[in-house]
Structure formats: structure tokens, C-alpha cells
């Protein structure tokens, strides 16, 4: 057996940190990685297993723009990878402002400040490992990463801090194949606005007033469509994560039906089986989201 073959055999025997059932894989294929090709989905699952990141708990994401796939995590995803490593020995980080006294030393940082700190200059992070003499150091300049998005405007200190921490953790533990949302300064813009998801043609006619043709429609048909919309809104509410799961499923249906990607589809255009499947998926994610919020609080 060659040396290369031995390496492959060892890697194959590596214990997976997370596993998925066939049903869970199919759910992920329709929702979290709804835009992924077959090969892209395999890579997404490989990285999730390799780093022990759970897509159901929003620890790893699939994002695609202009045909270019990106597999993403967050600062917390990198921190989870680090926490699991036996050599991880801590993280030190802070935001630097223009009036701070800041000097980097070989073994760390000398950072002092008072109350009148001025504007944000950037942030730094140091990741310590038990098997290394010096920490991994990263400084993230604010003007290189700031984004004109709502979250960056509201929480500039927290966001630039996450950038430095993400980069330092990634470098300290040689994480490859992943990029964090904070590093990219990306805000995902969905193809859909939940409040603007088009109703079916039947529902639209009802809103505009009945014509002679409309009067021939059965009342239970209109009621059924309305119940669908109310049922989905009741599950999703204002939860942005659940909204994104809904949009991902609709994109999945569009691909299956061969509908042009520029066109939108309605909840009401789903078949009965598809609608029941959508409700089941959203209810599952809703329970997970509730559990996450409980743990955070």
C-alpha cells in the first residue's frame, strides 16, 4: 500500500462529529441548501460533518450568488470548532478606538483606554494554543470591513469584533472551505419578501372584487387558499430564519417544476403534498428555533 493510500484510509476512518439520517439530508437539500447542485450539496454536508457544525441549528449555511456557491459559518461556528480542539487555550479580543493607547507586543497586546475613546479604528483578536509559544494575532481595520447594512449601523463594535475573532480562530485552527458572514460583511438579500409573496390568481380576484366569472368559483376554494396563507404565517410569524426556510423551499419547488428563477410562486400554487411537507419542515425548524432562544436567554 502506498503512502498516499494510507493517508486516504486514515481520513476515511476519522470519526464523524455529526451525522444525518436520509430524511434529514432530504430536508436540508430542500431548505438550507436549496440552491446547491448535487456536488455542492455533497461538499456542504462534508464540511458540516468534518467540522461538526449543525445546519439545523444555523451553525453552517449555504449561500449562492451569481452562480457562485459559498459555504458559510459564523464567529460562533469557528468558536465551536476551537472549543472542541484539545489545544485551544483561550481568546482575547477588543475594539480599538482613535484615542486608545494601543501597542502590539510579541506575546500579546498593550491596550489602554478611558471614557473619551473616539471613533472606531478596528478590532483585534488573539487566539492562544497550548502547543504554541505565541498567540495567533489578527487586526481588522474598521474601514475595510464596515458595511452599509442595518446590523452594522446599529452594532458596529460587535460586528467588527466578530470579524477579527472569526479570522483569528480560523487561522489558529487551519479551518478551510468555510468563510464567516462577518468576514464577508454580507447581508443576504432574499428573492422574496414574505409580505409580498403573491397570492394565487383566485385570491387576487377576490381582493379586486368579483366579476361574473369569479361568481362561478366555489367558496370553499377561496377559503382553502386563505387558510393556507394563515397557516404558514402562524408558523413563521416574524422569525427571519423561518422566513428564509420558507423561501428556500419555494425555490426548491421552482427548480422541480422548471419555473424560471426570475419568477415568483405562491404558497397556494403548491400541491397538497408539497404544502403539507412545507408545514412539516417549518414546524420542525420552529421548534429548533424556540429551543435556541431558550438556551440563549
Amino acid at each position: 500500500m502506498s503512502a498516499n493510500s494510507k493517508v486516504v484510509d486514515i481520513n476515511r476512518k476519522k470519526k464523524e462529529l455529526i451525522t444525518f439520517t436520509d430524511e434529514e439530508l432530504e430536508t436540508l437539500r430542500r431548505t438550507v441548501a436549496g440552491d446547491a447542485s448535487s456536488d455542492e450539496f455533497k461538499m456542504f454536508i462534508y464540511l458540516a460533518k468534518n467540522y461538526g457544525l449543525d445546519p439545523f441549528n444555523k451553525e453552517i449555511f449555504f449561500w449562492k450568488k451569481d452562480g457562485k456557491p459559498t459555504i458559510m459559518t459564523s464567529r460562533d461556528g469557528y468558536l465551536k470548532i476551537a472549543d472542541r480542539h484539545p489545544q485551544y487555550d483561550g481568546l482575547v479580543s477588543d475594539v480599538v478606538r482613535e484615542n486608545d493607547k494601543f501597542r502590539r507586543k510579541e506575546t500579546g497586546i498593550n491596550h489602554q483606554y478611558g471614557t473619551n475613546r473616539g471613533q472606531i479604528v478596528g478590532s483585534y483578536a488573539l487566539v492562544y494554543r497550548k502547543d504554541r509559544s505565541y498567540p495567533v494575532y489578527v487586526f481588522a481595520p474598521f474601514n475595510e470591513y464596515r458595511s452599509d447594512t442595518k446590523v452594522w449601523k446599529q452594532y458596529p463594535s460587535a460586528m467588527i469584533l466578530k470579524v477579527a475573532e472569526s479570522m483569528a480562530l480560523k487561522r489558529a485552527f487551519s479551518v478551510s472551505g468555510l468563510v464567516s458572514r462577518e468576514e464577508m460583511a454580507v447581508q443576504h438579500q432574499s428573492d422574496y419578501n414574505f409580505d409580498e409573496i403573491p397570492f394565487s390568481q383566485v385570491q387576487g380576484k377576490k381582493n379586486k372584487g368579483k366579476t361574473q366569472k369569479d361568481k362561478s368559483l366555489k367558496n370553499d376554494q377561496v377559503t382553502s387558499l386563505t387558510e393556507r396563507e394563515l397557516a404558514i404565517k402562524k408558523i413563521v410569524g416574524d422569525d427571519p430564519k423561518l422566513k428564509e426556510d420558507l423561501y428556500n423551499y419555494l425555490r426548491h419547488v421552482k427548480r422541480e417544476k422548471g419555473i424560471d428563477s426570475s419568477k415568483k410562486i405562491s404558497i397556494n400554487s403548491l400541491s397538497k403534498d408539497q404544502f403539507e411537507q412545507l408545514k412539516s419542515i417549518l414546524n420542525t425548524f420552529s421548534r429548533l428555533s424556540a429551543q435556541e432562544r431558550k438556551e440563549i436567554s
Side-chain angles (χ1 to χ4, degrees):
M1 182 181 290
S2 67
N4 288 338
S5 297
K6 289 181 180 179
V7 171
V8 172
D9 287 344
I10 291 172
N11 287 337
R12 284 178 178 171
K13 291 178 181 178
K14 181 179 178 181
K15 183 179 179 181
E16 293 179 342
L17 299 173
I18 188 171
T19 58
F20 305 102
T21 65
D22 290 342
E23 184 179 358
E24 288 171 336
L25 287 172
E26 181 58 29
T27 299
L28 292 172
R29 185 71 182 85
R30 291 192 304 264
T31 56
V32 177
D35 289 339
S37 67
S38 178
D39 287 341
E40 290 165 353
F41 183 68
K42 289 177 183 177
M43 178 59 71
F44 174 74
I45 295 300
Y46 170 79
L47 290 173
K49 289 181 176 181
N50 191 49
Y51 291 117
L53 299 176
D54 189 350
F56 287 101
N57 285 332
K58 314 296 183 182
E59 293 173 351
I60 186 170
F61 312 82
F62 183 89
W63 189 68
K64 199 169 189 177
K65 185 177 182 181
D66 299 328
K68 297 179 180 179
T70 303
I71 299 174
M72 304 174 69
T73 185
S74 64
R75 184 277 314 272
D76 292 339
Y78 287 135
L79 193 56
K80 182 176 181 179
I81 294 171
D83 279 333
R84 192 184 289 119
H85 200 286
Q87 299 301 330
Y88 178 58
D89 201 28
L91 168 68
V92 174
S93 61
D94 205 345
V95 174
V96 180
R97 294 177 177 267
E98 57 187 357
N99 295 332
D100 294 357
K101 293 181 179 180
F102 176 78
R103 186 167 64 90
R104 180 188 175 188
K105 300 187 297 182
E106 192 175 53
T107 56
I109 294 292
N110 184 357
H111 185 199
Q112 301 175 14
Y113 50 82
T115 55
N116 183 25
R117 300 182 61 191
Q119 298 296 314
I120 297 174
V121 175
S123 65
Y124 65 88
L126 300 105
V127 176
Y128 293 85
R129 289 182 52 135
K130 298 172 185 176
D131 57 348
R132 296 181 185 176
S133 301
Y134 303 107
V136 172
Y137 167 83
V138 166
F139 183 86
F142 186 65
N143 61 355
E144 291 184 14
Y145 289 94
R146 66 184 301 177
S147 174
D148 193 32
T149 58
K150 183 178 179 180
V151 67
W152 273 86
K153 289 178 179 179
Q154 288 184 332
Y155 310 106
S157 297
M159 293 305 294
I160 193 61
L161 193 61
K162 286 183 178 182
V163 172
E165 291 173 345
S166 295
M167 294 172 67
L169 288 164
K170 182 177 182 178
R171 189 176 300 174
F173 295 96
S174 304
V175 179
S176 59
L178 293 174
V179 64
S180 74
R181 293 172 296 177
E182 293 83 15
E183 289 174 274
M184 294 179 68
V186 166
Q187 181 184 40
H188 179 71
Q189 298 293 335
S190 174
D191 293 340
Y192 297 91
N193 179 324
F194 182 75
D195 294 326
E196 296 176 358
I197 292 178
F199 294 153
S200 71
Q201 192 173 7
V202 174
Q203 183 65 25
K205 288 178 180 176
K206 181 186 176 185
N207 291 338
K208 293 178 182 179
K210 290 185 178 181
T211 63
Q212 185 63 35
K213 184 178 180 180
D214 295 329
K215 291 178 182 179
S216 65
L217 294 171
K218 296 181 180 179
N219 290 332
D220 60 348
Q221 186 178 11
V222 176
T223 303
S224 174
L225 295 172
T226 303
E227 287 177 352
R228 280 191 171 195
E229 295 156 4
L230 291 175
I232 296 302
K233 284 192 175 183
K234 184 177 180 180
I235 299 170
V236 173
D238 294 323
D239 191 322
K241 294 180 180 179
L242 291 177
K243 289 181 183 180
E244 189 61 28
D245 295 328
L246 167 61
Y247 306 146
N248 283 334
Y249 185 82
L250 292 177
R251 283 192 285 264
H252 165 74
V253 172
K254 282 202 299 184
R255 284 196 306 274
E256 280 196 333
K257 290 185 174 183
I259 299 174
D260 188 89
S261 59
S262 63
K263 296 182 179 179
K264 298 180 181 180
I265 63 172
S266 165
I267 296 169
N268 300 312
S269 65
L270 301 176
S271 69
K272 182 178 179 181
D273 288 343
Q274 288 172 334
F275 180 67
E276 291 302 321
Q277 188 177 61
L278 173 61
K279 283 202 303 181
S280 176
I281 290 170
L282 292 176
N283 277 319
T284 299
F285 278 108
S286 177
R287 287 191 292 271
L288 287 171
S289 298
Q291 183 179 352
E292 285 181 317
R293 286 192 289 269
K294 184 177 180 181
E295 291 174 353
I296 292 172
S297 61

